[in-house]
Amino acid sequence: MKKTKIKADKFFNQKNQIKKYNEIYDGLNFEREYPANKKRLEIFIDLLKIIKPKKILDAGCGNGMPMVSILDNGFNCIGFDNAPNMVDEAKKNLIKNGYNSNLVCEGNFESFKSSYLFDCILGMGAFYYSEKPSKTIEQMTSNLVKGGHLIFSLRNKLFDLVTLNNYTNNLLKELFSTNESKILDKEFNRIIDQNNIEVDYKKKNTIDSNNVLSTVHNPLTVQKDLLDKNNLKLQNLYFYHYHAYPPKIEHYSPREFNEASWKIEDPLNWKGYFLASGFIVDAIKIS
């Protein structure tokens, strides 16, 4: 029987998740979890410095620490999140850093509506937790001015090709599911199943292993899949959370694995299509 997925706002509302996310933004520590969120935030800040928006909405603001960085860089930003405990933590973090706690409130991706429009809306590690990502993109776009930027991160489906585990097996089956020959289909599936490489390595505690509802997207088709229907035009893609080796290698030496991966982080490298598990979409509203 298939397990029901946990909704992200319920998962991230837990006290242990709040503690974890406070630690994520507390300096680089390669002994701990890979600092992908710090790299992602760095890319977002660099983009904001280029775009120079006047009104920013941080959709799914979490514990508020990314917002603090945005505010520290001189931008005007408010945020919302659907996890009440995260909103409470965001308010505390804003006050600790000298900002008004009223800059954050509770809100839902699929229904949030502002009384005024923004020229930039951010979704940092947020929209792929939505039950309906396309609906989320539509709703967020409705809060944008024409020419405004919607910048959001997604999980990279193409990364599955290089994980060398069941994700790779499943993607290969999807790629080769031509159904042109029953005999060849059967032989292909036998080879793939025989090549199951889930054995002999320690499974990492991830969003997927915690059974949290999330989606993956193909960076090659994101314009057609998410942007076209919402009057958005892709400006660029930026890749983050690189893996210097397949994930199964990580357990041999997590610190060394993380340090090697950090060294190859490059938002615009073509290898990001395959070696990065996340990517950032910068799109503008065209009408």
Side-chain angles (χ1 to χ4, degrees):
M1 187 177 171
K2 200 171 183 180
K3 285 173 71 176
T4 303
K5 293 278 188 180
I6 303 166
K7 290 184 180 180
D9 55 345
K10 300 285 190 266
F11 179 76
F12 290 112
N13 201 45
Q14 300 173 96
K15 296 291 185 183
N16 65 323
Q17 289 300 313
I18 292 166
K19 180 177 183 295
K20 172 186 168 183
Y21 275 83
N22 277 334
E23 291 173 348
I24 281 174
Y25 296 102
D26 185 25
L28 286 179
N29 185 342
F30 291 112
E31 298 285 353
R32 247 181 0 221
E33 189 170 346
Y34 188 74
N37 289 27
K38 287 182 70 68
K39 177 55 66 176
R40 182 177 67 208
L41 176 58
E42 182 183 300
I43 297 169
F44 271 81
I45 296 288
D46 286 345
L47 281 171
L48 291 177
K49 288 178 179 177
I50 295 169
I51 297 165
K52 296 182 173 59
K54 293 178 181 177
K55 288 182 187 175
I56 302 170
L57 174 65
D58 184 5
C61 64
N63 70 349
M65 289 311 296
M67 259 190 74
V68 167
S69 292
I70 292 168
L71 293 164
D72 282 348
N73 276 277
F75 295 105
N76 176 14
C77 183
I78 67 169
F80 73 86
D81 200 280
N82 205 33
N85 287 334
M86 277 291 186
V87 172
D88 288 344
E89 192 66 18
K91 287 180 179 292
K92 291 175 188 174
N93 283 328
L94 285 167
I95 291 169
K96 275 184 202 173
N97 288 277
Y99 296 107
N100 194 319
S101 64
N102 290 333
L103 292 174
V104 294
C105 65
E106 285 187 43
N108 187 290
F109 293 143
E110 293 168 22
S111 59
F112 184 87
K113 192 67 182 172
S114 172
S115 58
Y116 55 88
L117 299 177
F118 299 86
D119 53 349
C120 186
I121 296 177
L122 310 177
M124 285 182 266
F127 294 172
Y128 51 80
Y129 291 123
S130 170
E131 289 185 75
K132 299 175 182 176
S134 186
K135 173 66 177 172
T136 290
I137 301 296
E138 178 186 358
Q139 191 63 28
M140 290 299 99
T141 304
S142 73
N143 291 281
L144 266 182
V145 298
K146 181 180 178 181
H149 286 254
L150 182 63
I151 309 173
F152 57 98
S153 58
L154 294 172
R155 297 180 68 190
N156 183 5
K157 184 172 184 175
L158 295 183
F159 176 62
D160 289 355
L161 278 173
V162 300
T163 55
L164 301 186
N165 53 24
N166 270 341
Y167 290 108
T168 301
N169 292 347
N170 292 337
L171 185 53
L172 287 174
K173 286 180 178 179
E174 183 179 334
L175 284 171
F176 290 101
S177 61
T178 59
N179 297 315
E180 293 296 328
S181 167
K182 288 184 179 179
I183 295 173
L184 295 181
D185 280 347
K186 184 177 179 182
E187 178 62 10
F188 170 72
N189 286 322
R190 185 190 68 78
I191 292 170
I192 291 297
D193 291 338
Q194 199 174 47
N195 193 40
N196 191 326
I197 0 167
E198 286 290 350
V199 295
D200 192 36
Y201 83 99
K202 184 180 175 183
K203 281 198 172 184
K204 190 179 174 186
N205 188 30
T206 65
I207 286 297
D208 294 323
S209 62
N210 280 291
N211 200 41
V212 178
L213 176 67
S214 68
T215 54
V216 294
H217 290 85
N218 186 338
L220 295 173
T221 61
V222 72
Q223 177 71 56
K224 175 176 69 71
D225 295 341
L226 290 176
L227 305 184
D228 281 346
K229 60 189 78 171
N230 291 303
N231 295 314
L232 293 164
K233 183 179 180 182
L234 180 65
Q235 299 302 286
N236 215 336
L237 298 177
Y238 303 89
F239 296 93
Y240 71 97
H241 199 174
Y242 276 70
H243 293 68
Y245 302 93
K248 65 177 292 185
I249 306 295
E250 181 177 357
H251 81 281
Y252 287 105
S253 178
R255 179 187 57 77
E256 196 166 350
F257 183 95
N258 288 339
E259 286 179 346
S261 297
W262 188 259
K263 286 176 184 175
I264 66 169
E265 289 280 355
D266 181 350
L268 294 173
N269 193 316
W270 69 269
K271 291 184 179 180
Y273 280 94
F274 306 101
L275 300 187
S277 60
F279 66 99
I280 294 164
V281 177
D282 176 20
I284 59 168
K285 184 176 180 178
I286 54 178
S287 63

